[in-house]
Amino acid sequence: MRCTWRPLVGPLATLAVVAWIHVADRHAFAVPNPGAISFMAVVFSAYLGGIASGLVSTAISLAYAATYFSIPGQFLRYTPDNLARLYVLLVATPAIALMAGVLQGRTKQALRRAHDARLAIESSSRDLATLRAALDQIKVGIVLLDRDLCAQFINCAFRRIWRLPDQLADSRPTFVKLMYHGRGAQAYAVSADRLGAYVAEQMMLIRAGDERPLDIRLANGEVMRFRCKALPGGGRMLSYGDVSDLVHRSDVLAELASIDGLTGLYNRRHFLALAESEWNRFKRYDRPLALLMFDIDHFKSVNDTHGHDVGDRVIKAVADVMQNNKRSSDVAARVGGEEFALLLPETSLENACIAAERLRQKVAEHALEADGGVVTVTISVGLSIARDGVAGIAALMKQADVALYDAKHSGRNRVCAFDAVKPCDVGDAAA
């Protein structure tokens, strides 16, 4: 609240001093240095009430001094020879009043600025405390880094995710130290041999201020979506949001889009994508690659005789036999109604023939009960080998189809390789 009485105090005090000097003089009481006393009253007035108050006090003091001009030296007890000092004093008094007023004004401004700065700091501190409390309540992990990538703030969610003790979090660690702590605490699922590359990848994203999301799989199965936001001054804000449900749904949708619903094998579209990858590996490293194409013999008669339900059971049974008798590196798929494909990486022609014959025998040995009887199922297999001169995976599949066509027209329940376009020597229906 602004004080309205301060500008009046100085002039009233000066007037009181002048009146006191006048009364003392009238009663023959010698006041020592009355000019100095009135001068001090002027300075006090200017400092307390400002420039205007000082000038009013100066006018009062000078008006009283003027009454003594007719008695040289009376006002300051000076002799007529030192009257020049009186004139200097008369000139200096308003100047000093002005200076005192200016000093008082600047002092008030400085105090006001200091007061405003203190209020601003207190307000900022309250806002910062509120912000920190809010960030500690959300479930998204937040890390604020300075321009040197040292953590200035780590909220509770990130400490939980990274299994980060408060002592380490409050010590303002570097981001690299946080990453290695997370690996040491087994917070995220990154193998030791990939840790360096993984940390380097995240550091590159952070230094570049790249805002593209990066999904991080934790050891407990959760998936955290990492984002980096560049801040003014070179700092970074890192966020880690739990997207486990979203990623799980995405994985389910991806699986539904790539898996055949009846057999659980890959469908034709996904098989072609995986086969293309293996074909590129063959071309780059010249590694052996084989392909089996086969279908169920007389499948139409199975449907016509026993119905489509039994037909579906037959397809499922053949798929199970193939799934149970393949290597983990092999790629099995249902590419048509009763047509299947099996891609065999790192497999020569001889070994592919052996694998194809073993599969044919396993299917023939698998009896399926239906309508009180037993349904015998056999397959015909066509085989092709990747070699120079083959245009691509589509051409390889076409060669296997040609061999499959020959196996069917050679009596079915047999294996034919594209190279000789005749049954392999490892077995056929007669065996």
Side-chain angles (χ1 to χ4, degrees):
M1 182 175 179
R2 188 176 179 181
C3 295
T4 58
W5 54 267
R6 294 182 64 174
L8 301 177
V9 172
L12 292 177
T14 304
L15 188 61
V17 168
V18 170
W20 173 66
I21 294 173
H22 180 71
V23 171
D25 184 67
R26 293 287 297 270
H27 289 80
F29 176 75
V31 178
N33 293 327
I37 295 175
S38 62
F39 175 74
M40 292 176 60
V42 169
V43 173
F44 169 76
S45 177
Y47 185 79
L48 185 65
I51 296 176
S53 180
L55 291 177
V56 172
S57 297
T58 300
I60 294 171
S61 181
L62 293 180
Y64 182 68
T67 63
Y68 283 82
F69 285 170
S70 60
I71 309 175
Q74 177 67 30
F75 183 64
L76 293 173
R77 306 300 184 195
Y78 291 154
T79 64
D81 296 336
N82 294 327
L83 189 59
R85 297 186 181 183
L86 174 62
Y87 296 133
V88 172
L89 181 62
L90 295 178
V91 175
T93 299
I96 295 299
L98 288 174
M99 292 176 60
V102 171
L103 178 62
Q104 185 262 3
R106 291 185 176 179
T107 302
K108 288 174 61 177
Q109 291 178 359
L111 291 175
R112 187 180 300 111
R113 285 195 297 267
H115 177 71
D116 293 342
R118 189 182 76 255
L119 292 179
I121 292 173
E122 291 175 354
S123 177
S124 298
S125 298
R126 288 193 299 269
D127 292 343
L128 182 59
T130 302
L131 178 60
R132 286 174 176 265
L135 292 178
D136 275 334
Q137 294 301 316
I138 63 176
K139 296 182 179 179
V140 177
I142 298 293
V143 179
L144 300 181
L145 303 177
D146 61 15
R147 62 185 305 168
D148 297 322
L149 302 186
C150 293
Q152 300 300 299
F153 172 76
I154 302 174
N155 75 340
C156 292
F158 183 86
R159 299 183 190 207
R160 176 189 60 81
I161 295 169
W162 240 239
R163 302 174 185 175
L164 193 65
D166 291 340
Q167 183 178 3
L168 176 58
D170 296 335
S171 66
R172 297 190 174 183
T174 63
F175 180 74
V176 172
K177 189 172 183 178
L178 288 178
M179 294 296 298
Y180 278 95
H181 169 82
R183 178 66 184 90
Q186 298 181 339
Y188 51 91
V190 176
S191 59
D193 58 334
R194 285 200 63 247
L195 181 59
Y198 179 76
V199 173
E201 179 184 6
Q202 289 223 351
M203 289 297 295
M204 181 178 64
L205 291 176
I206 292 173
R207 286 198 177 99
D210 196 333
E211 298 185 14
R212 289 177 298 175
L214 175 66
D215 288 346
I216 303 172
R217 293 189 178 270
L218 302 183
N220 61 6
E222 294 179 352
V223 180
M224 292 292 159
R225 181 153 295 172
F226 163 79
R227 290 181 183 273
C228 173
K229 181 70 175 179
L231 300 177
R236 297 289 187 268
M237 182 179 75
L238 313 181
S239 63
Y240 297 79
D242 189 350
V243 292
S244 303
D245 291 342
L246 180 62
V247 172
H248 176 69
R249 292 192 190 100
S250 177
D251 291 342
V252 170
L253 291 175
E255 183 176 349
L256 291 175
S258 62
I259 300 298
D260 175 65
L262 176 62
T263 63
L265 302 177
Y266 290 128
N267 57 25
R268 183 183 185 88
R269 182 186 65 82
H270 195 62
F271 172 78
L272 291 175
L274 296 177
E276 190 68 33
S277 177
E278 287 295 336
W279 179 264
N280 291 335
R281 196 168 72 91
F282 154 72
K283 295 293 290 183
R284 184 178 297 109
Y285 303 111
D286 194 26
R287 304 303 302 170
L289 180 65
L291 174 66
L292 308 183
M293 298 286 292
F294 63 93
D295 64 11
I296 301 171
D297 296 331
H298 305 295
F299 182 72
K300 185 177 184 301
S301 64
V302 173
N303 275 337
D304 293 342
T305 303
H306 302 283
H308 290 283
D309 289 344
V310 175
D312 287 346
R313 289 174 57 195
V314 168
I315 291 174
K316 182 67 168 63
V318 171
D320 290 342
V321 171
M322 180 170 61
Q323 191 75 275
N324 295 332
N325 289 276
K326 74 176 188 67
R327 301 170 302 180
S328 60
S329 59
D330 298 340
V331 182
R334 181 189 179 194
V335 295
E338 73 276 10
E339 189 175 6
F340 299 85
L342 184 62
L343 192 67
L344 307 173
E346 301 291 336
T347 304
S348 63
L349 174 61
E350 180 182 1
N351 290 333
C353 285
I354 294 174
E357 178 60 21
R358 181 172 63 247
L359 177 62
R360 184 196 68 78
Q361 290 179 356
K362 291 291 184 180
V363 172
E365 294 170 358
H366 188 82
L368 185 67
E369 295 183 0
D371 299 333
V374 176
V375 178
T376 302
V377 181
T378 61
I379 59 173
S380 298
V381 185
L383 186 156
S384 59
I385 299 296
R387 60 175 68 84
D388 293 336
V390 180
I393 196 67
L396 189 67
M397 292 179 68
K398 186 174 182 180
Q399 290 180 355
D401 273 333
V402 170
L404 173 59
Y405 179 83
D406 186 76
K408 283 184 161 303
H409 285 267
S410 299
R412 291 186 172 83
N413 191 24
R414 66 186 61 224
V415 176
C416 283
F418 177 78
D419 292 73
V421 196
K422 64 181 180 180
C424 292
D425 294 333
V426 295
D428 55 21

